[in-house]
Every structure is written in C-alpha cells, then in structure tokens.
Amino acid sequence: MSKPARVLTFKCDKCTKPVKVFLQKVSACSHIQPYQGLCACGELKRYATGDKNAVASYLSSTDGSWSHHH
C-alpha cells in the first residue's frame, strides 16, 4: 500500500485562493488520513481520506478535539 501524500492543495471555500492542507499525525493505521491547513484569509480547511465513518467523524468535529481510536 502506498503512503498518503503529506501535502494536498485545495481551493479555499471562502476566498477561492489555494490552501495547502498537511497530513496530521494519527495512530499508525490506514483507516483514516486526516489533513488540515489554514488559508491566508484565516479560513480553516479540513480534508480526510479513508474509512467513511472515520472521515465523517473527523469532518464534523469542529472544535479540534477529534482523535482516532480503535
């Protein structure tokens, strides 16, 4: 299995400028690869790949307290 990309670039939902999101440190599993980055305009951008339920949990957690557990 190939390693996930460490940096991805998306268009900011607020200002439409490019925003880089960085792979976040999680447990050593392949269920989810969460990404997060901050646009120059101050808008937080989050993204994740992997298990559908884990991704939904990550993206719906807006307070920054999300963590992945087995």
Side-chain angles (χ1 to χ4, degrees):
M1 185 171 185
S2 64
K3 290 184 178 183
R6 295 199 179 273
V7 180
L8 299 173
T9 303
F10 291 93
K11 189 180 286 187
C12 179
D13 296 331
K14 189 175 182 180
C15 72
T16 71
K17 291 181 181 176
V19 57
K20 289 184 180 182
V21 294
F22 299 88
L23 183 63
Q24 303 297 295
K25 292 182 181 180
V26 293
S27 61
C29 74
S30 61
H31 296 303
I32 184 169
Q33 292 84 42
Y35 294 82
Q36 185 170 292
L38 194 60
C39 182
C41 75
E43 185 74 8
L44 180 66
K45 175 69 177 175
R46 299 171 86 193
Y47 177 77
T49 61
D51 177 77
K52 181 181 175 182
N53 293 329
V55 168
S57 172
Y58 174 69
L59 294 177
S60 67
S61 169
T62 57
D63 65 358
S65 65
W66 182 89
S67 61
H68 179 65
H69 299 286
H70 287 272

